[in-house]
Amino acid sequence: MHLVLLPGMDGTGRLFEPILGCFPPGLRTVVVAYPPDIARYDDLMPIVRAALPPDDPFVIVGESFSGPLAVRVAAGNPRGLRALVLIASFVRPPARWPFPALRAAVVGPSVAVVPWRVQARFLLGRNPDPQLLARVREVVGSVPSATMAGRIREVLREDVSGAVAGVRGPILYLRASRDAIVPRRCDFLIAELAPHARIEEIDGPHLLLQASPGLAAASITAFVRPLMQSQA
């Protein structure tokens, strides 16, 4: 069984490093990375589809920004798909921007105007591990600000709620208990759209897989294990 890991807004896949060593040997991982100059979901879909294992069963895992991509792929029921996992993610825009001028200011051609200490607070909460904080800053800073701004615009307009009903397999949603970016109504909506979905809350900030990798890996493994056994 493979886990196909779709990254958060940085798109590099490098922030999955803390969790990769937490999975059991029988659960292999495929880390998908996005080109640094591509922001649109429509343009990222072929990259995700090309990364799916052609001959082995897999579970697709969408972290934050990649949740809509994961839902789109899962709704197409590709050969080998066994389940969908969403991490601190959404199927409708997680934020409301009632004032167009404010939206334009925040998601203009650059997000560099947002101080790093503000970004860090939203991503990692208060008093994050210094090494993790430095790593996140390095990775996020490696992505062009225009690309990050473009991905924010995608988040604010993407709605895949209608596709959730097309997902036939099991669904797991991991909510971060101290998520300052994705509100609780996002997992409430998933539970409404897919009553069979399993919703679990794990203590941690928005970057749940990075701040609480052991707990997150344990939940994902427990969810996937029956699927692995059915393939034995």
Side-chain angles (χ1 to χ4, degrees):
M1 180 78 70
H2 287 80
L3 292 179
V4 179
L5 302 172
L6 308 186
M9 192 170 290
D10 66 282
T12 65
R14 293 161 59 194
L15 291 180
F16 285 131
E17 291 168 4
I19 200 171
L20 293 181
C22 298
F23 293 116
L27 197 52
R28 291 165 288 179
T29 55
V30 175
V31 175
V32 181
Y34 305 145
D37 60 340
I38 295 182
R40 297 182 67 246
Y41 283 126
D42 286 347
D43 296 331
L44 292 170
M45 277 297 292
I47 297 170
V48 174
R49 289 195 179 106
L52 302 179
D55 301 313
D56 294 317
F58 64 91
V59 172
I60 190 164
V61 181
E63 180 187 31
S64 187
F65 167 81
S66 286
L69 286 168
V71 170
R72 282 196 194 184
V73 172
N77 293 291
R79 180 174 178 269
L81 178 69
R82 294 294 181 266
L84 168 66
V85 177
L86 299 175
I87 311 292
S89 193
F90 46 87
V91 296
R92 284 182 184 159
R96 301 294 183 213
W97 299 91
F99 306 108
L102 175 61
R103 173 172 172 161
V106 175
V107 297
S110 174
V111 294
V113 294
V114 181
W116 169 246
R117 65 181 180 275
V118 175
Q119 297 182 50
R121 179 68 176 271
F122 276 93
L123 294 172
L124 291 167
R126 295 183 179 182
N127 305 313
D129 175 80
Q131 290 185 333
L132 176 58
L133 180 63
R135 180 60 170 164
V136 172
R137 184 172 190 175
E138 173 198 354
V139 171
V140 171
S142 72
V143 183
S145 60
T147 300
M148 294 292 282
R151 290 173 182 170
I152 292 174
R153 287 192 290 271
E154 289 293 288
V155 166
L156 293 178
R157 63 191 175 207
E158 184 74 359
D159 186 336
V160 296
S161 57
V164 175
V167 180
R168 297 176 186 169
I171 300 174
L172 171 66
Y173 183 96
L174 293 187
R175 168 177 170 76
S177 65
R178 293 178 277 115
D179 199 326
I181 295 179
V182 177
R184 186 173 294 273
R185 60 181 169 79
C186 290
D187 57 276
F188 288 167
L189 176 61
I190 291 171
E192 176 184 335
L193 295 172
H196 65 286
R198 180 190 302 180
I199 312 293
E200 295 185 12
E201 183 170 278
I202 294 179
D203 183 48
H206 180 69
L207 290 187
L208 187 62
L209 302 188
Q210 294 72 32
S212 303
L215 293 174
S219 288
I220 294 171
T221 302
F223 173 71
V224 172
R225 184 172 288 116
L227 304 175
M228 298 171 64
Q229 293 172 345
S230 67
Q231 299 299 316

